[in-house]
């Protein structure tokens, strides 16, 4: 069963946690694009950044679970995300017959950001996204592959959480779907069961109970931000073969996020 692809884009965030796993996410994405779908890929890469900071002997300090990024660390973050991880993903998509172009939010000033906490240094929050930039790339027949780096005007690159970037791009492009491919089957409740449909109330309760934590927090926030703008958002396991294909084909897998009054 394959639905007629929509003219609205689909934002797919590929977690660093699933990169390199023997999954089919990139095959699924290339097939979706070939069938007329409009995917925008955003990737993470936290684990590889940690590895490279260690190699370069740059100590990492964390503030409330977020990595503080000084000037030396920022060079590594930009180098690893925009260089190593992005180039690898683009190369894999090209090898599968897809037309992909690697960008970061610095390119075209597409993702603007600002520093918001001195203790975090060069970590940004998104202040605006130029949705047209990504739509133009899709119109040109290419798959944008986005490294989560923002631009603080006039010329300062900033490290931004990839989940947040994916959510803001989904909003700015009026995406139909926002799909988080990660390394767990979905959002899990206190008993370890998948929550199939997550409401804002349930999310708040899980967070208060400490069941929703770590890397899942920015995903859930991004899902609600995008859902407000009309996207249907999913968190699913990208390490399982066929996950992306099934979700893009309309199957309900993992956790689906909805807003009040919407299915
Ligand atoms: N309630 C929850 N349900 C499921 N996973 C949760 C929950 N709370 C916290 N997590 C954690 O969130 C993790 C997924 O986020 P994580 O940031 O590690 O991966 P990612 O975002 O896919 O990769 P990257 O950060 O490299 O882009 C899970 O592996 C799990 O440990
Ligand atoms: Mg993460």
């Amino acid at each position: 069963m394959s639905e007629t692809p929509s003219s609205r884009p689909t934002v797919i965030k590929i977690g660093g946690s699933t990169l390199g796993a023997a999954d089919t996410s990139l095959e699924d994405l290339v097939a979706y694009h070939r069938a007329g779908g409009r995917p925008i890929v955003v990737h993470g890469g936290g684990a590889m950044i940690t590895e490279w900071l260690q190699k370069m002997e740059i100590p990492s300090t964390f503030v409330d679970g977020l990595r503080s990024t000084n000037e030396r660390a920022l060079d590594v973050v930009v180098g690893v995300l925009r260089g190593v991880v992005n180039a690898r993903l683009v190369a894999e998509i090209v090898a599968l017959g897809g037309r992909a172009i690697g960008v970061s939010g610095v390119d075209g000033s597409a993702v603007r950001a600002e520093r918001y906490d001195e203790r975090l240094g060069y970590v940004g929050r998104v202040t605006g996204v130029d949705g047209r930039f990504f739509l133009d790339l899709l119109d040109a027949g290419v798959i944008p592959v986005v490294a989560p780096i923002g631009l603080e005007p006039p010329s300062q690159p900033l490290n931004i959480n990839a989940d947040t970037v994916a959510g803001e791009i989904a909003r700015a492009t009026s995406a139909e779907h926002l799909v988080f491919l990660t390394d767990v089957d979905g959002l899990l409740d206190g008993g370890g069961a998948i929550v199939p449909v997550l409401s804002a109330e349930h999310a708040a309760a899980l967070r208060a109970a400490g069941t929703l934590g770590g890397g899942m927090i920015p995903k859930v926030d991004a899902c609600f931000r995008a859902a407000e703008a009309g996207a249907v958002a999913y968190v699913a396991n990208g390490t399982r073969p066929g996950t992306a294909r099934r979700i893009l084909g309309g199957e309900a897998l993992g956790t689906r996020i909805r807003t009040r009054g919407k299915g």
Side-chain angles (χ1 to χ4, degrees), residues 33-192:
H33 186 237
R34 192 171 291 138
R38 285 159 64 82
I40 299 170
V41 178
V42 179
H43 63 81
M48 197 174 283
I49 290 168
T50 301
E51 190 186 314
W52 277 82
L53 286 172
Q54 279 165 3
K55 274 190 214 175
M56 314 279 290
E57 296 180 352
I58 299 173
S60 289
T61 48
F62 288 85
V63 179
D64 300 335
L66 290 172
R67 189 200 314 272
S68 170
T69 305
N70 63 21
E71 212 164 344
R72 281 185 74 207
L74 180 69
D75 284 347
V76 174
V77 167
V78 171
V80 169
L81 290 176
R82 182 68 174 93
V84 181
V85 179
N86 191 277
R88 189 178 289 181
L89 261 179
V90 169
E92 284 177 23
I93 294 171
V94 168
L96 291 164
R99 286 184 79 205
I101 285 189
V103 296
S104 80
V106 171
D107 295 79
S109 186
V111 179
R112 285 172 300 278
E114 64 184 10
R115 277 168 277 190
Y116 64 97
D117 186 335
E118 266 180 14
R119 296 171 305 163
L120 290 173
Y122 293 96
V123 172
R125 70 169 158 226
V126 177
T127 55
V129 171
D130 178 2
R132 194 66 250 169
F133 177 84
F134 298 104
L135 295 172
D136 284 347
L137 288 173
L138 290 169
D139 288 347
V142 301
I143 304 171
V145 179
V146 187
I149 301 159
L151 183 66
E152 183 181 64
S155 62
Q156 179 61 58
L158 296 179
N159 178 16
I160 314 181
N161 181 279
D163 299 338
T164 310
V165 169
E168 296 304 318
I169 291 176
R171 264 179 93 91
T173 57
S174 298
E176 181 168 31
H177 305 287
L178 168 64
V179 183
F180 285 101
L181 296 176
T182 184
D183 62 350
V184 282
D185 287 336
L187 193 131
L188 308 175
D189 67 17

Side-chain angles (χ1 to χ4, degrees), residues 18 21-28 181-182 185 236-247 251 253:
T18 74
D23 60 41
T24 61
S25 301
L26 300 183
E27 280 103 315
D28 294 354
L181 296 176
T182 184
D185 287 336
N237 194 338
T239 70
R240 292 193 195 281
T243 299
R245 176 177 50 77
R246 290 170 63 189
I247 289 182
E251 246 181 88
L253 273 190

